[in-house]
Amino acid sequence: MLLPGAALDPAIVWRADDDRRATAEIALGGSTHRVEVEIDDDGSLRRVTAPRWGNPVGDGYAEHLFTVTFEDEVTVATDGGGRVTVPRSFEASWPAGPGVFFRATLDGVRWR
């Protein structure tokens, strides 16, 4: 999600779920992976949800729901003279497990 241009890859099939959510289907390694993306009324990225391999509750490794939430945005210039908007801060969590385990805020972005 920090590289928005990656979402334009022709290998990704997008499906609109409603006016705020879309699901990307990515065929990789013989499996299809589904990633749900949610935006707010202004079109800003707010949440990404996907199954992820892990052991969040300590009962063994398997696919579990994984969520990253985003706040604020920063727009940066690219080397080609364009502009790209990316999330400024985010939190990663296992909703069924211990909750938020990673937080980050971008202090700056340099596009190359």
Side-chain angles (χ1 to χ4, degrees):
M1 295 297 114
L2 295 177
L3 297 172
L8 302 175
D9 188 310
I12 300 174
V13 177
W14 286 93
R15 178 187 76 237
D17 299 323
D18 57 35
D19 61 345
R20 288 183 152 213
R21 294 178 305 124
T23 299
E25 294 185 349
I26 305 152
L28 183 65
S31 298
T32 299
H33 306 275
R34 289 174 183 79
V35 177
E36 182 181 283
V37 176
E38 182 180 332
I39 60 169
D40 66 14
D41 289 336
D42 296 324
S44 298
L45 180 64
R46 288 297 167 236
R47 179 185 333 263
V48 174
T49 305
R52 183 172 184 242
W53 189 257
N55 186 13
V57 293
D59 62 354
Y61 284 88
E63 279 192 352
H64 296 273
L65 188 63
F66 179 77
T67 301
V68 180
T69 56
F70 302 91
E71 291 188 22
D72 303 324
E73 292 181 327
V74 60
T75 300
V76 296
T78 65
D79 289 346
R83 299 186 69 72
V84 175
T85 300
V86 296
R88 182 183 301 275
S89 62
F90 51 95
E91 296 181 337
S93 65
W94 299 104
V100 174
F101 66 88
F102 182 82
R103 290 182 176 94
T105 300
L106 300 178
D107 293 328
V109 177
R110 183 169 46 190
W111 196 267
R112 290 190 181 251

